[in-house]
Amino acid sequence: MFKVIRIFVLLVILAVVGSTALMQRWQSQSWRRPQVITLYPINLQGDAATDAYIDQLSDAAFADIEPYFQAEARRYGLPLDTPVRVVLGRRMRELPPPVPREAGVMSAVTWSLKMRWWAWRKTPPSSPVPDVRLYLVYHPGDFNGPLPHSTGLEKGRMGLVHLFASRAQQGPNQVVIAHEALHTFGASDKYDPSTLMPAFPEGYASPDQQPTLPQAQAELMAGRIPVKPTEARIPASLGQTVIGRRTAEEINWVRK
Ligand SMILES: [Zn+2]
């Protein structure tokens, strides 16, 4: 008898988890109303310069994102005029769980669960209610070397975004934010993870152009502008990027 009850309880839990995931997927891809993306700044190292940068942050630092999504959605004929709204939420003092160093399915799954648990407990309330939560982890503006890899989770509709605390980096920062936001809507990366070179053709802004290289813009989910077979530039602003056809299909802006 107990065994039957236990199995029944497990089945109920599975059904709830499964239907929540389906609901979230439907919500994130139905584009019936603007999706609210709320940004939560975090000072990773706790230094004074980054603190000062976060304190002066306003909507102006993220002002390119809404019109960018608007223009790109219009290009694909999406009936919704404003696909996303970007809201600057309260800054957070708590650091997210560290991303595992070793690659592996198990550690990735464990981290994603920890991250969702952390987000559920620590995210400050904000209005309007967020559809997507992006945690902006700021590094000192004079930090040398590559930033840790940003992560957008489609399940849970959240992302961890590593950025430089510097006004000069405001353009590239918005490219990274828009890229991670698109992951939460179901878009996949379009670059080779070992070389970081955009994948052809889906990672090219104008794959039909002749000659193919150099390209003038980046596909947002490829993240870089290919200029030579083994060389790609980081776009300086969202104006140097487009949302490619394949990405538009993945986020359900156009039918496959
Ligand atoms: Zn990505």
Side-chain angles (χ1 to χ4, degrees):
M1 186 61 197
F2 278 120
K3 199 173 170 189
V4 174
I5 293 175
R6 221 166 61 199
I7 291 173
F8 178 74
V9 169
L10 273 174
L11 281 176
V12 168
I13 291 174
L14 266 177
V16 169
V17 169
S19 57
T20 311
L22 273 177
M23 266 303 283
Q24 280 194 347
R25 190 171 179 100
W26 182 81
Q27 266 289 341
S28 71
Q29 297 197 333
S30 67
W31 302 106
R32 285 161 175 260
R33 60 166 177 83
Q35 296 291 294
V36 176
I37 302 174
T38 306
L39 310 174
Y40 303 94
I42 298 170
N43 180 354
L44 182 69
Q45 298 183 8
D47 62 298
T50 304
D51 256 346
Y53 178 81
I54 290 179
D55 282 342
Q56 61 80 46
L57 274 179
S58 69
D59 293 338
F62 312 102
D64 296 344
I65 302 174
E66 280 183 19
Y68 173 77
F69 274 87
Q70 206 163 21
E72 289 299 283
R74 196 171 300 144
R75 221 160 49 80
Y76 286 105
L78 190 77
L80 182 67
D81 179 59
T82 307
V84 305
R85 277 193 60 195
V86 177
V87 176
L88 178 57
R90 296 206 324 242
R91 84 178 273 185
M92 291 175 65
R93 306 275 169 188
E94 308 266 355
L95 298 184
V99 178
R101 275 168 197 277
E102 74 279 15
V105 176
M106 257 331 272
S107 56
V109 169
T110 314
W111 178 80
S112 132
L113 286 174
K114 275 190 199 160
M115 181 66 205
R116 287 159 76 177
W117 174 241
W118 172 85
W120 185 70
R121 282 184 314 151
K122 305 290 186 189
T123 307
S126 68
S127 170
V129 175
D131 295 299
V132 172
R133 287 164 292 175
L134 294 183
Y135 303 94
L136 309 186
V137 180
Y138 280 99
H139 296 251
D142 55 3
F143 178 81
N144 277 322
L147 290 182
H149 197 74
S150 295
T151 328
L153 299 172
E154 186 187 353
K155 295 196 180 68
R157 308 202 63 195
M158 63 182 68
L160 202 57
V161 189
H162 290 277
L163 303 171
F164 286 111
S166 139
R167 273 172 190 267
Q169 289 293 318
Q170 224 150 265
N173 280 353
Q174 292 183 90
V175 174
V176 181
I177 293 169
H179 173 108
E180 298 309 328
L182 273 192
H183 276 312
T184 73
F185 297 120
S188 65
D189 282 323
K190 293 176 181 64
Y191 58 84
D192 178 339
S194 58
T195 62
L196 304 182
M197 287 299 292
F200 185 81
E202 68 272 20
Y204 279 52
S206 318
D208 300 328
Q209 161 196 309
Q210 284 302 331
T212 318
L213 294 173
Q215 294 267 316
Q217 291 181 302
E219 200 288 325
L220 185 58
M221 298 313 288
R224 280 160 202 259
I225 308 168
V227 285
K228 288 180 190 163
T230 55
E231 192 188 321
R233 282 194 297 119
I234 291 177
S237 69
L238 280 170
Q240 296 186 5
T241 78
V242 296
I243 292 176
R245 173 85 201 178
R246 179 81 194 99
T247 301
E249 287 172 2
E250 288 172 341
I251 63 174
N252 201 28
W253 278 3
V254 281
R255 295 260 163 262
K256 284 174 195 140

